[in-house]
Amino acid sequence: MADQHTPRSLIVTLYGAYGRERTGPLPVAELIRLMAALDVDAPSVRSSVSRLKRRGLLISARTPEGSAGYELSADARQLLEDGDRRIYDRRTPRLADGWVLAVFSVPEAERSKRHLLRSRLGHLGFGSAAPGVWVAPARLYEETRHTLRRLQLDPYVELFRGEHLGFAATAEAVASWWDLGAIAKQHQEFLDGQEPVLRDWLGGRIATPEDAYRDYLLALDSWRRLPYADPGLPLELLPVGWPGSRSAEVFGRLHELLRDAGAVFVHGTDQGGPDGRDGHDDQEGDEDASPVTAS
């Protein structure tokens, strides 16, 4: 999993980490300031925001002072709330919690929805047990239900809770349902990038709130994909030396050290002109800005 710190991904990460603390929209000038600290220029910010607006995740709004800004849509807030449970949940998965099964059938005339269903279930962390039968730890049920309803795919799917009764041993079955080698590689790549950062901070680094913000946003942007690739399987079903526990510990320590320190930079004085504007309103001309790589 090579890090893909695209402008669009970083904006989503920023809103997830700090944007929901605001009582109103995030002014354009502030968004540009915060992205500049991550080496993202203003044209890339505007282009990325336009894409997020088209996807229905951000909404244009005015701040109380009249500045142009952006706030999260209701769908985006639900997505982030679902994501919080994955990203910050440090509970140890238990085999006794059971599984959730998604069984779907899509008419041939709507085969594009069949592809979308497979893609979405895979993104949620489901493994494929058989054609049209996908399995995941039971704790993913609520998020799965929200996602399928939001995408209007729920008429094609039935969800069940249950336990695995054989015939293969559950650990053998899990190894066929998920590509555990690929997931372990993603964990190791995260560790290769973020363990040195943690060592640096634990070594008594003297740094500014901007440094804490930058390191935290980059760590979170890397980490937040992993709990979707890795659904959080019970340790007894995983290979010996599984790196997932260590990568979760590294992210947890970085979160504890840097999140609140970075908030000092995020919630600092608004930049821009005397009225808080950056000199530009939110124009649909952003659609013509240079494209960015989708996250």
Side-chain angles (χ1 to χ4, degrees):
M1 179 192 66
D3 277 349
Q4 305 242 342
H5 297 305
T6 66
R8 188 168 71 174
S9 176
L10 287 169
I11 290 171
V12 172
T13 301
L14 170 63
Y15 272 92
Y18 298 110
R20 288 171 288 173
E21 296 174 349
R22 302 183 64 95
T23 56
L26 183 65
V28 174
E30 270 298 272
L31 184 55
I32 289 173
R33 176 181 79 92
L34 294 170
M35 287 295 103
L38 302 168
D39 298 322
V40 179
D41 61 25
S44 296
V45 172
R46 293 180 179 282
S47 175
S48 300
V49 164
S50 291
R51 292 186 176 206
L52 291 169
K53 285 165 57 184
R54 288 199 299 271
R55 289 181 58 193
L57 299 178
L58 290 182
I59 301 170
S60 300
R62 292 281 176 181
T63 68
E65 296 76 25
S67 301
Y70 309 103
E71 60 186 5
L72 293 164
S73 67
D75 278 349
R77 288 186 178 276
Q78 181 67 70
L79 283 169
L80 291 173
E81 288 170 11
D82 286 338
D84 287 347
R85 286 189 282 273
R86 297 221 192 192
I87 293 167
Y88 303 110
D89 188 354
R90 303 287 295 280
R91 290 176 298 176
T92 302
R94 301 183 311 157
L95 186 57
D97 293 338
W99 307 91
V100 57
L101 263 66
V103 180
F104 67 83
S105 177
V106 180
E108 185 63 26
E110 299 179 274
R111 60 189 307 174
S112 63
K113 291 185 178 178
R114 186 183 310 151
H115 173 74
L116 180 58
L117 256 171
R118 290 172 180 155
S119 173
R120 254 328 85 175
L121 290 171
H123 178 73
L124 286 166
F126 277 72
S128 177
V133 181
W134 292 65
V135 61
R139 65 184 179 84
L140 302 186
Y141 162 70
E142 286 293 342
E143 183 180 0
T144 301
R145 184 171 61 86
H146 293 157
T147 300
L148 295 177
R149 283 188 172 172
R150 179 173 57 84
L151 297 174
Q152 299 181 356
L153 294 171
D154 51 305
Y156 306 97
V157 185
E158 293 291 348
L159 298 176
F160 303 87
R161 287 184 188 269
E163 59 181 308
H164 179 243
L165 299 176
F167 295 94
T170 303
E172 294 178 18
V174 160
S176 69
W177 298 340
W178 284 275
D179 186 344
L180 297 180
I183 296 171
K185 182 180 178 182
Q186 292 184 53
H187 280 295
Q188 190 58 55
E189 288 175 351
F190 175 83
L191 288 166
D192 291 344
Q194 297 304 322
E195 273 190 317
V197 177
L198 178 60
R199 284 196 297 268
D200 191 22
W201 283 94
L202 291 177
R205 175 182 179 183
I206 298 174
T208 65
E210 182 176 351
D211 293 328
Y213 160 78
R214 182 187 302 109
D215 283 355
Y216 180 62
L217 251 291
L218 294 175
L220 177 58
D221 196 56
S222 296
W223 170 257
R224 69 181 179 86
R225 299 171 181 81
L226 260 171
Y228 288 90
D230 181 345
L233 299 167
L235 196 58
E236 60 263 43
L237 301 180
L238 296 169
V240 175
W242 182 252
S245 299
R246 194 162 93 254
S247 65
E249 178 65 23
V250 167
F251 173 72
R253 294 298 302 279
L254 287 170
H255 176 74
E256 293 165 2
L257 286 169
L258 305 181
R259 195 269 173 202
D260 289 347
V264 174
F265 176 73
V266 173
H267 301 307
T269 303
D270 288 357
Q271 304 297 303
D275 60 354
R277 297 172 187 264
D278 70 339
H280 299 276
D281 281 342
D282 175 35
Q283 299 291 335
E284 289 307 313
D286 290 348
E287 305 290 332
D288 298 324
S290 58
V292 297
T293 304
S295 61

